[in-house]
């Protein structure tokens, strides 16, 4: 049996545990045994969750251990997943049974695809990408590693989301637009032109803050 550890025991971690419970039948012989978090009391006051085992820094993966990273900020997703990968740890993806995945779509390791997400054909998704509920991703889109796409996001066909991008809930991106590395797009924004790396944009149309 494989043992799953969720990195992060805060809100996103608890949501991810619920997602695991909804799709574990399709994952085969796997059990979620706990969380990795440097806040040992992160789950105090919450019921029905496995315990916080250790911090990421102090945990050493074993042969049958697998991981998923449930953190809301891409820079920390990249930081902590790289720690586990350097220790030889392996990541799995959690895909809701209520998500739609089009043909020829590639999804990297460590992704979280929430309920009622729609991913059109021929999409390429890198490692450790988070897709919130009701995300809609158009055909031929490319999403690089460690991106966070909030609930109800829409990515038009042919869009390119570079590494460590944050798209807050209800963002709409017109087709064939590119969002540069580490950019942030504010909630409910409409992106009508390319967004430069390390830039925060917001509004309709989205403009640099």
């Amino acid at each position: 049996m494989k043992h799953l550890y969720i990195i992060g025991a805060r809100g996103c971690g608890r949501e991810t545990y619920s997602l695991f419970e909804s799709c574990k039948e399709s994952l085969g012989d796997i059990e979620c045994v706990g969380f990795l978090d440097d806040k040992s009391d992160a789950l105090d006051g919450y019921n029905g969750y496995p315990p916080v085992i250790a911090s990421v820094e102090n945990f050493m993966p074993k042969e049958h251990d697998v991981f998923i990273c449930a953190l809301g900020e891409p820079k920390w997703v990249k930081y902590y997943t790289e720690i586990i990968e350097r220790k030889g740890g392996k990541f799995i993806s959690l895909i809701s049974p209520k998500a739609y995945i089009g043909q020829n779509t590639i999804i990297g390791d460590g992704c979280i695809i929430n309920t009622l997400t729609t991913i059109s054909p021929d999409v390429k998704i890198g490692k450790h990408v988070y897709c919130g509920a009701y995300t809609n991703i158009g055909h031929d889109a490319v999403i690089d590693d460690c991106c966070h796409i909030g609930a109800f996001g829409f990515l038009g066909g042919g869009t390119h989301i570079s590494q460590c991008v944050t798209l807050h809930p209800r963002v709409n991106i017109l087709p064939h637009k590119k969002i540069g590395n580490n950019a942030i797009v504010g909630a409910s924004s409409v992106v009508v032109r390319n967004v430069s790396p390390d830039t925060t944009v917001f509004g309709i149309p989205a403009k640099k803050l």
Side-chain angles (χ1 to χ4, degrees):
M1 173 177 286
K2 292 182 179 179
H3 291 166
L4 173 65
Y5 293 86
I6 298 174
I7 298 173
R10 321 299 169 91
C12 188
R14 287 182 276 113
E15 288 182 348
T16 299
Y17 178 76
S18 295
L19 175 61
F20 166 76
E21 287 289 296
S22 73
C23 62
K24 64 182 180 181
E25 289 185 9
S26 65
L27 295 171
D29 197 15
I30 184 169
E31 176 187 6
C32 184
V33 296
F35 295 85
L36 301 181
D37 199 300
D38 57 9
K39 193 173 188 294
S40 60
D41 62 351
L43 294 172
D44 286 2
Y46 296 98
N47 298 316
Y49 298 99
V52 175
I53 304 296
S55 68
V56 173
E57 292 85 350
N58 292 329
F59 188 82
M60 183 56 65
K62 301 178 181 63
E63 180 181 359
H64 298 293
D65 293 343
V66 292
F67 301 86
I68 190 80
C69 187
L71 298 172
E73 293 193 39
K75 68 176 182 179
W76 295 118
V77 173
K78 187 174 188 295
Y79 177 80
Y80 285 112
T81 56
E82 286 180 349
I83 290 176
I84 292 296
E85 287 170 343
R86 285 196 297 269
K87 294 179 181 181
K90 305 296 183 184
F91 285 82
I92 64 167
S93 290
L94 296 180
I95 300 174
S96 169
K98 294 183 179 181
Y100 170 79
I101 311 297
Q103 67 182 28
N104 302 322
T105 286
I106 298 171
I107 298 175
D109 295 334
C111 291
I112 297 171
I113 311 296
N114 277 287
T115 184
L116 298 176
T117 291
T118 298
I119 302 177
S120 295
D122 304 297
V123 170
K124 296 180 181 178
I125 299 177
K127 300 187 300 180
H128 313 303
V129 171
Y130 178 93
C131 292
Y134 296 91
T135 298
N136 192 322
I137 300 173
H139 61 86
D140 301 295
V142 175
I143 303 170
D144 293 336
D145 296 347
C146 302
C147 290
H148 183 100
I149 303 172
F152 294 93
F154 171 79
L155 282 63
T159 56
H160 184 178
I161 311 301
S162 303
Q163 269 197 14
C164 295
V165 165
T166 300
L167 305 180
H168 285 286
R170 297 186 183 276
V171 163
N172 286 267
I173 300 178
L174 269 59
H176 304 292
K177 298 300 177 281
K178 182 173 182 178
I179 313 297
N181 291 337
N182 308 305
I184 299 172
V185 182
S188 299
S189 296
V190 178
V191 176
V192 300
R193 58 180 63 88
N194 294 341
V195 176
S196 300
D198 303 299
T199 299
T200 297
V201 299
F202 177 76
I204 305 174
K207 296 180 180 179
K208 183 178 178 180
L209 293 181

